[in-house]
Amino acid sequence: RLRLADALGHIGWHDNKIINILKNCMDNEYHFNTRWKLVEAYALLTRQEDFIEEQLVKPVLADDKQDPDDNRLQALTILCKLEYYTDDFIYQVIERLSSFSQPICKQALIYLSAARSIPELARPKLRDYINDMINNENVDGILRNRAFETLYNLYDILVETPVLPQIS
């Protein structure tokens, strides 16, 4: 079922019949990975804003503690593939970085490193978070590496340009 969902996602571009099959299967799927593969295929094919907000953005930003990480990781991975970089969403991800676990932080930093339009007000918080990760030897090496890659990728935004307007 998982491979079928993946295949349908690859061959179903603008095919309403396949999109309907994905939707119907998603509504009835109980297996975690297969359901997320169906969500991914459906989101990539339709790019429906309401669906993306409900099925992908909400899990990433959810405050409940009931198994949030697996869902957050899956949703954020799909949002990366969709290149879903709205200023509001990026800002909310940056606001939650310190409350995310290390796996979701790693994925969030991958996501953020590709986001060229980090909202100006969020830049100081992201820069401080990244610096803290890089300089903290007690933090997982992979997370520190992701932080460094993010800083490198966004150097011109986070380091070279003034982060807040200068007051004369």
Side-chain angles (χ1 to χ4, degrees):
R1 289 192 321 268
L2 184 119
R3 298 219 186 278
L4 178 61
D6 193 35
L8 288 173
H10 287 288
I11 65 172
W13 198 252
H14 298 298
D15 186 328
N16 286 333
K17 187 174 184 179
I18 289 179
I19 289 170
N20 288 334
I21 290 170
L22 288 169
K23 178 76 171 131
N24 291 336
C25 290
M26 187 180 2
D27 292 341
N28 298 313
E29 184 55 56
Y30 60 90
H31 186 265
F32 181 83
N33 290 328
T34 304
R35 183 174 188 295
W36 276 108
K37 186 51 79 175
L38 290 163
V39 168
E40 177 182 330
Y42 187 85
L44 289 168
L45 292 175
T46 66
R47 305 215 179 233
Q48 286 180 355
E49 195 67 31
D50 292 344
F51 181 82
I52 292 168
E53 286 290 323
E54 187 64 32
Q55 298 295 320
L56 300 171
V57 171
K58 269 189 176 179
V60 173
L61 303 178
D63 286 330
D64 68 27
K65 301 296 180 204
Q66 187 179 20
D67 192 31
D69 260 3
D70 288 341
N71 288 324
R72 284 186 177 139
L73 283 167
Q74 294 292 335
L76 197 51
T77 301
I78 296 167
L79 288 166
C80 288
K81 292 178 183 180
L82 286 168
E83 296 181 357
Y84 184 88
Y85 298 115
T86 66
D87 285 354
D88 184 53
F89 180 66
I90 290 170
Y91 185 80
Q92 290 182 60
V93 167
I94 292 169
E95 284 294 306
R96 285 174 171 73
L97 276 172
S98 59
S99 64
F100 288 155
S101 69
Q102 288 197 8
I104 190 64
C105 267
K106 291 170 192 172
Q107 190 63 28
L109 289 173
I110 291 169
Y111 177 85
L112 291 169
S113 73
R116 300 302 308 159
S117 62
I118 303 287
E120 205 164 320
L121 289 173
R123 292 176 190 177
K125 187 173 189 103
L126 179 58
R127 188 179 59 204
D128 292 346
Y129 180 83
I130 287 172
N131 283 331
D132 289 347
M133 290 298 100
I134 291 170
N135 295 320
N136 186 344
E137 292 183 15
N138 294 323
V139 171
D140 171 79
I142 296 171
L143 180 55
R144 289 174 70 199
N145 192 34
R146 291 283 181 254
F148 183 77
E149 288 172 4
T150 304
L151 184 63
Y152 177 81
N153 289 340
L154 299 175
Y155 188 83
D156 57 329
I157 293 172
L158 297 178
V159 178
E160 284 189 344
T161 60
V163 174
L164 294 174
Q166 298 297 318
I167 300 173
S168 306

